[in-house]
Amino acid sequence: MNSLSSTKVEKFYYLMRLGREFELAAKEEYMKGNIAGFLHLDIGQEACSVGSMQAFDKGDVFTHYREHVLAIARGMEPKLIMAELFGKVTGVSRGKGGSMHLFDPSLNFYGGDAIVAGHLPLATGCAYARKIQGEKAGVFTIFGDGATNAGAFFESINIAAAWKLPLIFFVENNYYAIGTRIGWVSPFEELYNKAKNFMPAKRIDGMNVCEVYKAVMEAKEHIENSLGPYFIEAETYRYEGHSMSDNGKYRSEEEMDIFKSRDPIENLKKEALRLGIVSQEYFDSADQKAQEVVQEAVEFAAASPEPNLKELYEDVYCKECTNVIP
């Protein structure tokens, strides 16, 4: 943290606090029945979402379906995300995608793939396109530990390494693929071992936003220098179940306590105060601002109109395709 400016640390804190307040509100609205379908919360893993998006400021982003905080950290308006969760026409996907499909081409954010590991080949193809077009900015893709057991994962790291594509693979290892403990389906728990023979690969503390930021900055420099792909494994933990339908009872209270003692938001605050680089007044102000922004987001979503029935027939097929390679 010493090498980062106080402004950067303040931004990390605010975005993580905003993300957590957003998801706590989403959980409450889901319980009220205002949000339908699936809802996967990122609570506990905010350091991975915020640190990676603050470092990877250019290029394309392909994500899994636990992407609310990633979208906020990328610059998406919280009220537009909340409206999407409510299924309203003012949402980022006009209410058609819901929680699992946040999408904004203006931010190069192609998030919310519902199929485990399904977005990895898409990210690989996009990285190939960027390479043959001679662009410096590359592609970032984030996924969970369960995805590393899929065939699409191995095919993607293989072709990315063979063709030296500008692609950062970022796995959030929270030890559970839905409710399946990692040791039941993987011969080892340190997942960077699955990629280290293909590309530079490292394991970091995913509960430390500063460490995540520095690792992604290092990886970004690597791919922008045309040195091929880069793999990061971040050890992290989600406090909630896999989705709202999962009570998470397969985990012990002792395990939960261990990871909550490493909470990314509280520990960043504690360390910044200890070093004297951010004031208590700032943290108080940031907490209040985050709560106000989220409250406004909920009110905006609740007041927004439902999509018109004709929307069912919109955006189903591409009407006109441009810039297509023949």
Side-chain angles (χ1 to χ4, degrees):
M1 187 183 295
N2 276 326
S3 62
L4 298 173
S5 69
S6 60
T7 302
K8 181 65 75 178
V9 174
E10 288 174 354
K11 191 163 189 180
F12 287 163
Y13 180 84
Y14 174 67
L15 288 173
M16 288 198 294
R17 176 61 69 191
L18 178 60
R20 183 165 296 184
E21 293 292 337
F22 181 94
E23 296 217 307
L24 289 171
K27 180 180 179 181
E28 184 177 342
E29 295 303 319
Y30 185 95
M31 298 301 288
K32 291 178 181 176
N34 291 326
I35 296 174
F38 292 101
L39 184 68
H40 304 84
L41 301 176
D42 198 42
I43 296 173
Q45 301 186 167
E46 294 91 346
C48 292
S49 298
V50 171
S52 63
M53 289 298 92
Q54 285 297 293
F56 194 78
D57 52 353
K58 298 178 182 176
D60 300 302
V61 178
F62 288 81
T63 85
H64 47 39
Y65 44 74
R66 196 182 306 279
E67 86 280 37
H68 307 149
V69 185
L70 282 161
I72 289 173
R74 188 67 173 175
M76 209 176 285
E77 287 287 336
K79 66 179 184 180
L80 303 184
I81 302 173
M82 189 64 81
E84 186 60 39
L85 270 56
F86 273 58
K88 299 297 183 69
V89 72
T90 51
V92 292
S93 301
R94 298 184 63 78
K96 298 177 179 178
S99 168
M100 299 174 76
H101 301 289
L102 305 179
F103 189 87
D104 189 341
S106 70
L107 297 173
N108 290 349
F109 189 89
Y110 310 110
D113 195 300
I115 306 301
V116 173
H119 57 302
L120 301 185
L122 303 180
T124 304
C126 190
Y128 178 64
R130 281 192 172 270
K131 179 170 182 174
I132 62 175
Q133 290 170 351
E135 296 184 16
K136 187 174 182 181
V139 177
F140 175 91
T141 185
I142 187 168
F143 46 97
D145 47 271
T148 67
N149 299 320
F153 166 78
F154 292 102
E155 292 173 356
S156 296
I157 63 172
N158 179 68
I159 205 69
W163 293 350
K164 296 190 181 304
L165 302 183
L167 176 55
I168 299 173
F169 293 92
F170 188 103
V171 58
E172 293 174 308
N173 185 0
N174 62 26
Y175 296 100
Y176 292 93
I178 306 181
T180 303
R181 176 77 189 184
I182 187 172
W184 296 358
V185 289
S186 176
F188 43 79
E189 296 189 357
E190 295 187 341
L191 300 179
Y192 76 99
N193 286 310
K194 293 185 178 180
K196 68 180 183 182
N197 288 330
F198 295 80
M199 62 192 73
K202 66 187 304 183
R203 193 173 204 248
I204 64 170
D205 179 3
M207 304 295 275
N208 184 325
V209 66
C210 299
E211 189 168 333
V212 172
Y213 175 79
K214 290 176 182 176
V216 176
M217 288 289 288
E218 181 179 296
K220 186 175 73 168
E221 181 178 358
H222 178 88
I223 66 170
E224 288 182 351
N225 285 324
S226 303
L227 297 175
Y230 198 102
F231 190 95
I232 299 171
E233 174 195 1
E235 185 202 24
T236 186
Y237 205 76
R238 54 174 162 78
Y239 300 164
E240 302 290 328
H242 172 72
S243 70
M244 290 297 292
S245 61
D246 173 12
N247 62 19
K249 291 299 185 184
Y250 42 84
R251 302 177 295 184
S252 68
E253 291 183 6
E254 290 78 8
E255 182 176 282
M256 185 71 75
D257 289 342
I258 289 171
F259 279 96
K260 283 192 173 181
S261 71
R262 296 168 55 190
D263 184 81
I265 301 175
E266 294 306 318
N267 280 336
L268 178 73
K269 178 180 177 179
K270 188 185 302 181
E271 184 65 7
L273 288 172
R274 189 186 69 80
L275 295 172
I277 59 176
V278 181
S279 69
Q280 181 64 51
E281 289 72 23
Y282 171 79
F283 289 121
D284 294 341
S285 172
D287 290 349
Q288 181 176 350
K289 182 180 177 183
Q291 291 171 2
E292 291 173 354
V293 169
V294 171
Q295 180 60 35
E296 290 173 5
V298 172
E299 292 172 357
F300 174 81
S304 293
E306 301 281 352
N308 191 292
L309 283 178
K310 70 177 183 181
E311 286 280 345
L312 286 171
Y313 305 101
E314 297 291 332
D315 306 319
V316 177
Y317 297 107
C318 178
K319 296 175 182 175
E320 181 180 357
C321 295
T322 58
N323 300 324
V324 175
I325 298 174

